[in-house]
Amino acid sequence: MDDRTCTLGVVAKMSNDFYKNKRVFITGHSGFKGTWLCQILLSAGAEITGYSLDSNDVRDKDALVKKMQESKPDIVFHLAAQPLVRRSYLEPALTYETNVMGTVNVLEALRLTPSAKSFVNITTDKVYENKEWHWGYRENENLCGLDPYSNSKSCSELVTYSYRHSFFNNKDAPAISTARSGNVIGGGDYSENRIIPDCIRAVMAGKDIIVRNPSSVRPYQHVLDCLSGYLLLAEKQFTDKDIAGNYNFGPDEESCVSTGSLADLFCKAWGNNVRWINQGDNGPHEANFLKLDCSKSKAVLGWKPRWGIGTAVEKTVEFAKIKTDEEKAKCMKRQIEEYFHET
């Protein structure tokens, strides 16, 4: 998905045409979030250069530097990652190589690309030292993820912090930020060991849904909610470098729900009397309780989530029930237009 341009005016209305004709470089553009981000930007008239595992790898620094310099981006979004907690227990070295050294390589490429003015590193809510408390983590809380995935993302945050202060501290340097979002759901996520994709696979196979930890509470949100935050952050810091930093993008309180409650919402949205059963598998450690405090994003950026958890699940089910790729693409565009046209 290199250097494609399209204009639909959807995001242009939201962002006052900011992204029109902007050159945007995206690592991980072919993944779940990356695909949605590309479609939003194409709708806004941006020129996109994508860099992903299917053609390139963020662990290949030389190739990454060459590609970024060739594209001369105005804005860079770093989404490429090994994103799965359970896989990180099976492949810890790969996880650290991708999530830590991948970030180093992206920042090295950025350092050698003078055209870039705004950079956002997408991490996760799991970067925080999880103390299982019942209030949201703020951006100034300790970073110390426990499992290899979470810990590697904490390291990615620290790498970004070091590069920001070591190499991007002059007036001509790009603005550097990290974005931490909650558990994201939406059409097109086919990852293993994630609750909504697992639900979809189960019902498609005519089986009961297996829920491992029904009492675990997470900040669930639709993919468009967090992506709207990333886009807003990249835009705002492009013109005001002083706001660069670390930002949480999570749902409001009512969308921080247990896995069992999420499964209930899915079953209701899907219909056909589908059901879930509680069945633990003695798997590796996963946090029981996690929330984000997004006061900073709301106050500094004027961002807010738009779709609550019920709507997020319904939109995800709508997409999942569509049979053809062509119709799925139409559904994605339709949902993007609906989201960004809401007041």
Side-chain angles (χ1 to χ4, degrees):
M1 188 180 292
D2 292 348
D3 304 316
R4 299 185 301 173
T5 304
C6 176
T7 53
L8 295 180
V10 177
V11 183
K13 292 185 66 176
M14 179 194 75
S15 300
N16 298 317
D17 290 324
F18 171 78
Y19 282 100
K20 187 174 183 179
N21 298 323
K22 286 290 191 301
R23 296 184 301 273
V24 183
F25 189 95
I26 304 173
T27 70
H29 74 292
S30 61
F32 167 46
K33 282 185 183 179
T35 300
W36 282 87
L37 179 59
C38 285
Q39 185 56 58
I40 297 168
L41 287 167
L42 289 170
S43 299
E47 301 175 12
I48 300 170
T49 298
Y51 190 95
S52 283
L53 187 61
D54 53 3
S55 56
N56 302 103
D57 192 325
V58 290
R59 293 175 295 171
D60 186 342
K61 187 186 74 172
D62 292 341
L64 180 57
V65 170
K66 183 175 184 292
K67 190 71 171 181
M68 190 180 294
Q69 288 181 324
E70 288 176 348
S71 69
K72 297 181 174 61
D74 302 299
I75 299 164
V76 177
F77 291 99
H78 176 38
L79 283 77
Q82 191 298 94
L84 303 175
V85 171
R86 288 201 161 201
R87 185 181 177 191
S88 77
Y89 281 105
L90 298 173
E91 298 181 309
L94 173 67
T95 300
Y96 281 101
E97 288 169 6
T98 303
N99 296 352
V100 183
M101 287 310 300
T103 300
V104 171
N105 293 339
V106 172
L107 288 164
E108 277 292 289
L110 187 73
R111 191 161 68 92
L112 299 170
T113 307
S115 63
K117 302 301 179 187
S118 180
F119 171 79
V120 180
N121 178 18
I122 313 305
T123 63
T124 174
D125 56 350
K126 297 173 181 65
V127 298
Y128 295 108
E129 180 183 4
N130 194 334
K131 299 179 179 179
E132 302 285 352
W133 55 35
H134 289 260
W135 53 89
Y137 291 89
R138 297 170 294 179
E139 288 85 351
N140 60 354
E141 308 283 0
N142 290 340
L143 301 179
C144 191
L146 189 150
D147 59 85
Y149 164 71
S150 304
N151 188 265
S152 69
K153 282 295 194 175
S154 301
C155 293
S156 176
E157 289 269 356
L158 294 173
V159 167
T160 306
Y161 177 87
S162 176
Y163 266 76
R164 180 192 300 135
H165 292 281
S166 299
F167 305 112
F168 299 106
N169 55 2
N170 62 68
K171 65 181 181 64
D172 296 321
I176 307 292
S177 287
T178 63
R180 306 159 183 172
S181 61
N183 286 36
V184 176
I185 65 175
D189 185 6
Y190 305 110
S191 301
E192 295 181 1
N193 296 311
R194 281 185 179 166
I195 178 62
I196 294 298
D198 285 349
C199 287
I200 294 169
R201 278 188 287 270
V203 298
M204 290 292 194
K207 299 178 180 179
D208 287 336
I209 297 164
I210 304 298
V211 178
R212 297 190 304 269
N213 302 298
S215 61
S216 296
V217 173
R218 298 285 188 276
Y220 292 102
Q221 63 189 143
H222 193 272
V223 63
L224 290 175
D225 265 336
C226 67
L227 291 179
S228 69
Y230 306 162
L231 289 161
L232 191 58
L233 173 57
E235 173 188 349
K236 295 282 189 179
Q237 70 178 18
F238 189 95
T239 54
D240 183 3
K241 188 177 174 182
D242 289 340
I243 72 166
N246 311 313
Y247 289 86
N248 289 338
F249 296 102
D252 289 330
E253 179 74 19
E254 61 270 19
S255 294
C256 296
V257 300
S258 69
T259 307
S261 296
L262 184 68
D264 286 338
L265 288 170
F266 175 86
C267 292
K268 180 180 178 182
W270 193 275
N272 297 328
N273 297 315
V274 300
R275 64 170 193 159
W276 65 271
I277 57 176
N278 180 7
Q279 184 175 306
D281 61 358
N282 297 314
H285 172 271
E286 295 184 62
N288 290 314
F289 199 92
L290 186 58
K291 287 184 182 180
L292 292 174
D293 183 327
C294 300
S295 301
K296 180 181 176 182
S297 295
K298 293 176 180 179
V300 176
L301 304 176
W303 172 85
K304 64 177 181 179
R306 299 186 183 188
W307 284 352
I309 186 61
T311 300
V313 172
E314 289 170 2
K315 298 298 183 184
T316 304
V317 168
E318 176 191 17
F319 186 99
K321 286 188 172 183
I322 296 173
K323 303 297 184 183
T324 68
D325 290 342
E326 180 181 359
E327 289 302 314
K328 286 181 185 294
K330 290 179 181 179
C331 179
M332 179 180 289
K333 292 178 181 179
R334 184 169 62 249
Q335 290 185 3
I336 289 171
E337 183 168 0
E338 180 182 348
Y339 180 91
F340 286 109
H341 273 100
E342 287 184 357
T343 57

